[in-house]
Amino acid sequence: MKNPFMDFKKVSLANKDIPLGQIVGRNRRVLDELLSVYRCLDRDAVKELCRLLDQGLRFNVYKAWLFAMELPKFLAATLAYASTIYESSLRRIRTIEYTPDDIEELCAVTGLSREAKFEQSGPMGLYISALINGSKAGRFELNLHRQFTKLHFLGFRLEAGKHLTVHGDPGHFTGAGLQGGTLKVNGSTGSWCGAEMSGGLIRITGDALSKTGERMEGGQIRVDGRIQQIAKTRFGGKILSNAESE
């Protein structure tokens, strides 16, 4: 099986159109290390996660299937594969010294690839989340306005003391499993925002799609815009919206 991440070797770090400006040359070695680890993620877990996420991207197609008693199974499987990829990422990055700027640069560089297939870009949100939680720093900022691909699972298991600000629209499962951190999204999120979060705060200035707060146990989700659908299965926490929810 071809390694789905190998094409990221073709990403040019000398592209002067990178939204962060002329960031090339500051730390090419660190970027190469981070990309090398990303290319070595568990391919089977990535393949299965992307298959499930692809169903999520086609929500109208699989909606009836999910509600036919398959919702718990879908959620459990998706989060299980996400956890596998996330935990593997944490183990692999322990020996790399990087900064919040390196994470921002990695996000910008990989997001510029129009040709990246879903299996190449699908796990990037989990990988970035692992980098954030594995960092000694507390504050992080990501600009997604020029991303060609959605970052799913951004803010996954964000820990207490971590503050992540995202400019733009991340994908599904934003802030899933949040554990006490603060995630601010200056934009809108996909479905399953805050799924299984146990603490902390998610603040969204735009809208949130369906199943917001699914199996939420604690913390708070605040949405300035509309929430398409608040999850019915919740065990704690609060979900607030400034607009009327459907």
Side-chain angles (χ1 to χ4, degrees):
M1 178 189 297
K2 179 184 176 182
N3 189 324
F5 306 117
M6 292 300 289
D7 286 350
F8 275 130
K9 287 185 175 181
K10 302 175 183 178
V11 175
S12 173
L13 298 184
N15 189 330
K16 294 185 179 180
D17 291 328
I18 293 176
L20 303 180
Q22 294 188 1
I23 55 179
V24 179
R26 184 183 61 79
N27 204 337
R28 172 68 181 261
R29 178 187 59 80
V30 174
L31 268 185
D32 284 345
E33 283 188 272
L34 294 177
L35 284 169
S36 178
V37 170
Y38 184 67
R39 290 192 293 265
C40 293
L41 295 180
D42 188 317
R43 287 176 289 173
D44 291 334
V46 167
K47 183 177 180 180
E48 286 303 306
L49 178 68
C50 289
R51 181 183 64 82
L52 291 166
L53 282 176
D54 183 59
Q55 293 174 339
L57 290 171
R58 295 181 288 107
F59 183 81
N60 290 333
V61 175
Y62 79 93
K63 185 175 181 180
W65 172 72
L66 282 183
F67 279 92
M69 301 179 65
E70 291 291 340
L71 176 58
K73 187 184 299 183
F74 168 84
L75 184 61
T78 301
L79 292 177
Y81 285 117
S83 296
T84 296
I85 295 168
Y86 170 83
E87 291 166 5
S88 174
S89 299
L90 274 181
R91 290 192 298 269
R92 292 173 179 272
I93 63 176
R94 286 175 181 170
T95 59
I96 305 176
E97 294 185 6
Y98 58 90
T99 67
D101 287 340
D102 293 319
I103 298 174
E104 190 175 3
E105 186 172 343
L106 174 70
C107 178
V109 169
T110 55
L112 290 174
S113 177
R114 290 178 180 270
E115 293 77 23
K117 296 179 181 179
F118 191 40
E119 283 186 30
Q120 295 167 335
S121 60
M124 181 55 74
L126 286 166
Y127 186 58
I128 289 176
S129 298
L131 289 171
I132 289 172
N133 280 331
S135 171
K136 296 179 181 179
R139 293 190 175 274
F140 306 84
E141 193 165 354
L142 298 175
N143 189 339
L144 308 184
H145 285 304
R146 298 186 63 180
Q147 295 279 119
F148 290 116
T149 55
K150 291 288 187 182
L151 287 181
H152 306 292
F153 286 96
L154 201 55
F156 186 70
R157 294 186 183 176
L158 194 66
E159 299 172 354
K162 301 291 184 179
H163 301 266
L164 171 60
T165 300
V166 178
H167 303 285
D169 302 333
H172 296 324
F173 290 96
T174 299
L178 203 82
Q179 296 179 347
T182 300
L183 171 60
K184 182 178 181 181
V185 177
N186 292 320
S188 298
T189 67
S191 299
W192 314 92
C193 175
E196 291 196 353
M197 69 180 287
S198 58
L201 171 66
I202 300 176
R203 171 71 185 278
I204 302 167
T205 64
D207 303 324
L209 293 182
S210 63
K211 294 299 176 184
T212 297
E214 183 70 39
R215 300 187 66 82
M216 180 181 181
E217 297 180 356
Q220 186 176 113
I221 301 175
R222 297 173 58 188
V223 182
D224 291 349
R226 293 181 63 83
I227 302 177
Q228 185 183 83
Q229 181 191 55
I230 294 177
K232 295 181 179 179
T233 305
R234 304 197 312 278
F235 308 108
K238 294 182 179 180
I239 300 177
L240 307 173
S241 174
N242 291 339
E244 183 181 356
S245 300
E246 292 184 355

